[in-house]
Amino acid sequence: MNERDFRDKDDIIEVQNLTKIFNGSVRAVDGITFNVKAGEIFGFLGPNGAGKTTTILMLCTLLKPTEGTAKLCRQDIVQEPDMVRSCIGYAPQDISVDEDLTGLENLKLHATLYHMPRNLAENRIAEVLQLVDLEDARDRLVETYSGGMRKRLEIAEGLLHRPRILFLDEPTLGLDLQTRAHIWEYIKRLNNEYGVTIFLTTHYMEEADMLCDRIAIIDYGRIVCIGTGSHLKDQVGGDVIEVKLSQTSPVTEKVAKALKEQPFVKDVMVSPDKLSLNVFVDRGETATPKLAGFLSEAGLVANSISMLRPSLDDVFLKYTGRRIREDKSSPEEFWRMRRALGRARA
């Protein structure tokens, strides 16, 4: 779909100390540094409010950074925003296609915004409709589209001008498992067949694991670790034994400390309610009976004990002390951030 001006080893996105502060005190993005190579699928994995969307908005020149620099296709996002926009596509988290128009009319409108000549626009529209399997629905009103079809139309719009980089903000948010799998297929096809560099954000661990060549885990505006999925999981090391306790057997700090001192234990993470714990060990098959014995001696009643291979959730747990699904951001903080972001973009 696009000519490769960058070799696979080249950095097509370069970010240094990128920071965004709202209202003088809310550090939505806090001094992040990373590079993305041409032809790569790069993922930002983190919970709601971690700074994923704010980062994308800055990289897409829709929000000015407070500090730091970023270059896309060797163009500075602040000094050369028009050049940056010419080489990127963007499918936002919130569906932005017009429900009162047909799929074809939405794409024609998008082509007009990019000042594309009519003949070129017609060819490109036919191409992207085929790519996302919306040819048969091109003349239907978007209000009749399913959530997955609308997301595919968003992606088609982002591809219309043949960008070198495509930004996908939570591309499968709210979609059912089958539709998410189909969207994953389209993303892989874009990358494999057309060489599009893809930057996506997600809080779905399996999505990051399935799609991304490299993953940056972000929490409270900071990148806590970065690498391939396999590399990050290797950092956890060994196996993970998950223990769910009886309501009458909460883990005390004294018990947790004693467990960490056991020679077969590498680390222990206790849930906020003290009723479950993850025990990191080298060999789960030999450590499990030892762990069961320790729990019994400590007077803890286990409802279940299961051995797992490390996952990205375990990586997140290792570096942040909690799981992604344990989002502690209050509703007030979430809406305060949304209001601040809206004012900044206005």
CSV table of all heavy atoms in Angstrom, one decimal, residues 14 38 77 129 183 188 220 240 246 285:
chain,number,residue,atom,x,y,z
A,14,GLU,N,10.6,8.3,17.2
A,14,GLU,CA,11.6,8.5,18.2
A,14,GLU,C,11.0,9.5,19.2
A,14,GLU,O,10.7,10.6,18.9
A,14,GLU,CB,12.8,9.2,17.5
A,14,GLU,CG,13.4,8.3,16.4
A,14,GLU,CD,14.4,9.1,15.5
A,14,GLU,OE1,15.6,9.2,16.0
A,14,GLU,OE2,14.0,9.7,14.5
A,38,ALA,N,10.5,0.8,11.9
A,38,ALA,CA,9.7,0.7,10.7
A,38,ALA,C,9.2,-0.8,10.5
A,38,ALA,O,10.0,-1.7,10.7
A,38,ALA,CB,10.4,1.2,9.5
A,77,ILE,N,7.1,16.6,15.9
A,77,ILE,CA,5.6,16.8,16.1
A,77,ILE,C,5.2,18.2,16.4
A,77,ILE,O,4.0,18.6,16.1
A,77,ILE,CB,5.1,15.8,17.2
A,77,ILE,CG1,5.7,16.1,18.5
A,77,ILE,CG2,5.3,14.4,16.8
A,77,ILE,CD1,5.1,15.4,19.7
A,129,LEU,N,-11.9,-0.5,1.1
A,129,LEU,CA,-13.2,-1.2,1.3
A,129,LEU,C,-13.0,-2.7,1.1
A,129,LEU,O,-13.5,-3.5,1.9
A,129,LEU,CB,-14.3,-0.7,0.4
A,129,LEU,CG,-14.9,0.6,0.7
A,129,LEU,CD1,-15.9,1.1,-0.4
A,129,LEU,CD2,-15.7,0.5,2.0
A,183,ILE,N,-10.7,-8.4,13.8
A,183,ILE,CA,-9.9,-7.1,13.8
A,183,ILE,C,-8.5,-7.4,13.9
A,183,ILE,O,-7.6,-6.8,13.2
A,183,ILE,CB,-10.4,-6.2,14.9
A,183,ILE,CG1,-11.8,-5.7,14.8
A,183,ILE,CG2,-9.5,-4.9,14.9
A,183,ILE,CD1,-12.1,-4.9,13.5
A,188,LYS,N,-3.0,-7.6,11.4
A,188,LYS,CA,-1.8,-8.4,11.0
A,188,LYS,C,-1.6,-8.3,9.5
A,188,LYS,O,-0.5,-8.3,9.0
A,188,LYS,CB,-2.0,-9.9,11.4
A,188,LYS,CG,-1.8,-10.2,12.9
A,188,LYS,CD,-2.0,-11.7,13.2
A,188,LYS,CE,-1.7,-12.0,14.6
A,188,LYS,NZ,-1.9,-13.5,14.9
A,220,TYR,N,0.4,5.0,35.3
A,220,TYR,CA,0.5,6.3,35.8
A,220,TYR,C,1.4,7.2,35.0
A,220,TYR,O,2.2,8.0,35.5
A,220,TYR,CB,1.0,6.3,37.3
A,220,TYR,CG,-0.1,5.6,38.2
A,220,TYR,CD1,0.2,4.4,38.9
A,220,TYR,CD2,-1.3,6.2,38.4
A,220,TYR,CE1,-0.7,3.9,39.7
A,220,TYR,CE2,-2.2,5.6,39.2
A,220,TYR,CZ,-1.9,4.5,39.9
A,220,TYR,OH,-2.9,3.9,40.7
A,240,VAL,N,4.3,-19.5,38.1
A,240,VAL,CA,3.5,-18.7,39.1
A,240,VAL,C,2.5,-19.6,39.7
A,240,VAL,O,1.8,-20.3,39.0
A,240,VAL,CB,2.8,-17.5,38.4
A,240,VAL,CG1,2.0,-16.7,39.4
A,240,VAL,CG2,3.8,-16.6,37.7
A,246,SER,N,-9.6,-19.0,51.7
A,246,SER,CA,-10.9,-18.9,52.3
A,246,SER,C,-11.1,-17.5,52.9
A,246,SER,O,-10.2,-16.8,53.2
A,246,SER,CB,-11.0,-19.9,53.4
A,246,SER,OG,-12.1,-19.6,54.3
A,285,GLU,N,6.2,-27.5,39.8
A,285,GLU,CA,5.8,-28.9,40.2
A,285,GLU,C,6.4,-29.3,41.5
A,285,GLU,O,5.8,-30.1,42.3
A,285,GLU,CB,6.1,-29.9,39.1
A,285,GLU,CG,7.6,-30.0,38.8
A,285,GLU,CD,8.1,-29.0,37.8
A,285,GLU,OE1,7.4,-28.0,37.5
A,285,GLU,OE2,9.2,-29.2,37.2
